[in-house]
Structures are given as structure tokens and as C-alpha cells.
Amino acid sequence: MPAPAPNSEIAFLLAPGAGAPTSHPRMRTFARLLASFGRVEPFDYPYAINGGKRPDPLPKLIAAHRAALASLREKHDGPIVLAGKSMGGRVGCHVALVEPVEAVICLGYPLCGAGDRSKLRDQVLLDLRTPMMFVQGTRDPLCPLDLLEGVRKRMRAPSTLHVVDGADHSLLVAKTTLKAQGSTQEEADDQILAATARFLKEAPEDLPKRRARGSW
């Protein structure tokens, strides 16, 4: 396990992907990892709460995400990080364009729409000024690492990438890879935890620069 949280006053607004709510075991694992650093506030989008399978249009998702952020701010006056799995991370990036937050953590960013390399969801990343962290698996068809690296080179926001070898879009490592490495999923998750600790320690250094530029 890495060292204790660099900022115990931090809070995370944790958003799910399109396919599973925050009650899903994998989302609970992400919540547990983030809880090593501070308060974690998971939330679900209205369409999922109402039993829908198809996500709402992006503007409605952004509005719901902002409402959840406003609710968290009523209870927490310290720094807030937007963390999200897949779609939740993407929507969090859009929210960070209009809301001042400490950082954004994307757990499996869905860079390619429907896995199509020609349909990049990169504009929001290029518009961002907020420090962000990508956690990506090498077997994730929605985010080929070569395409992501090209986007990161064009981003103006400072970004960090943690690669999980052999992992899919849910950051689950293939059993064959774990066996070959002589490791476990828990060890892979601990490496995500350690990388997050490093990111959270470095991200605040970029805040004065962004404020001076009037990025918000």
C-alpha cells in the first residue's frame, strides 16, 4: 500500500460508466481505492436510477453531474476531484470546463466512439485546463494507447497516464496475463492506487498557473 493521502481534506465525486451503476462491484472497488485519500461521494445518473438502459443525451448528463457536484459542495468546502469510470469520466471532463475542480481522474476514458478509431471524443480533452489523470488498460478497444498519446501531446491541460498491462475497459487484467506476471488483480489495483497518490500530490502545483491564466 502507498503512503497515506497527501491531502486528507480532498473529496471525490465518483461517476459510473454507462453499463453499470455505482453499486457494481468494480465501482465499489474504485470507491474503496479513492477512499484511501479522502471522502468519496458516488452518484448515479437519473436515467440509471429510473431503470433506463440508454444514457441520456450529453447535455442532460452534464446537468446531472453538475447537480451532484453542487450537492457535494454543500457538504464539503475543501478541494474536489471528479473521478469517473468510462462515460462518467468523459462527462466529468465536460463539467470541468465550466466548474472549478482540483483535478479529473478518468478510469478507462472512452476515446473512440463504439470502438471506432475514426470517431475520437477528443475535443473536450483539448479544451481542458484542469489537471487530469488517465488510467487505461492495454486491451481496451475504446482507448487505443497510441491514439491517446497523440491526444495528450495536443492537450493544454497537464495530464498523467497510468497503464495497466493486460487490462480491459474495466481495468480488469486478463487471467493469462496475471498468471504470466505471477501477480493478482489486487496488486494491479494497488498500482493504480500508488499512481493516483503521485498524481494527487503533483496536481495542486498546477492550480496557481491555471488561476493566473484565468482558465476558469
Side-chain angles (χ1 to χ4, degrees):
M1 282 291 185
N7 184 350
S8 61
E9 296 300 316
I10 204 165
F12 299 87
L13 184 63
L14 179 60
T22 53
S23 60
H24 187 276
R26 193 61 178 148
M27 288 300 299
R28 289 181 176 177
T29 294
F30 294 140
R32 175 179 56 78
L33 293 175
L34 293 174
S36 301
F37 307 108
R39 174 178 187 160
V40 179
E41 188 86 358
F43 80 97
D44 290 299
Y45 295 104
Y47 81 90
I49 295 174
N50 295 328
K53 300 296 183 181
R54 185 182 180 86
D56 288 321
L58 182 59
K60 288 189 176 182
L61 295 174
I62 294 173
H65 208 127
R66 293 184 73 181
L69 176 59
S71 177
L72 176 56
R73 280 185 171 141
E74 291 179 355
K75 300 174 284 187
H76 178 82
D77 59 3
I80 294 176
V81 171
L82 302 181
K85 174 70 186 77
S86 190
M87 182 187 77
R90 178 186 170 219
V91 178
C93 289
H94 282 276
V95 172
L97 293 180
V98 293
E99 298 280 359
V101 293
E102 191 86 355
V104 180
I105 297 176
C106 292
L107 303 164
Y109 185 82
L111 182 61
C112 299
D116 186 338
R117 290 176 63 97
S118 68
K119 297 179 180 179
L120 294 188
R121 294 164 170 155
D122 60 347
Q123 190 58 53
V124 66
L125 301 177
L126 301 179
D127 292 339
L128 271 177
R129 300 292 186 279
T130 306
M132 69 177 303
M133 177 182 183
F134 296 96
V135 183
Q136 304 292 153
T138 58
R139 295 190 301 114
D140 184 356
L142 297 186
C143 190
L145 295 179
D146 61 322
L147 294 183
L148 178 60
E149 195 55 37
V151 173
R152 290 183 64 218
K153 289 178 180 178
R154 292 184 287 127
M155 287 176 62
R156 287 175 284 185
S159 69
T160 296
L161 169 63
H162 175 69
V163 176
V164 184
D165 187 32
D168 60 14
H169 189 56
S170 294
L171 303 175
L172 292 172
V173 182
K175 292 181 179 179
T176 53
T177 301
L178 292 175
K179 183 176 181 180
Q181 296 175 341
S183 61
T184 65
Q185 182 64 51
E186 289 72 21
E187 289 173 328
D189 289 344
D190 279 347
Q191 290 174 5
I192 294 175
L193 187 62
T196 303
R198 291 192 296 271
F199 170 70
L200 293 175
K201 183 178 181 180
E202 296 168 0
E205 298 176 2
D206 296 297
L207 292 179
K209 300 176 185 176
R210 291 191 291 128
R211 288 176 179 141
R213 291 196 302 263
S215 302
W216 292 334

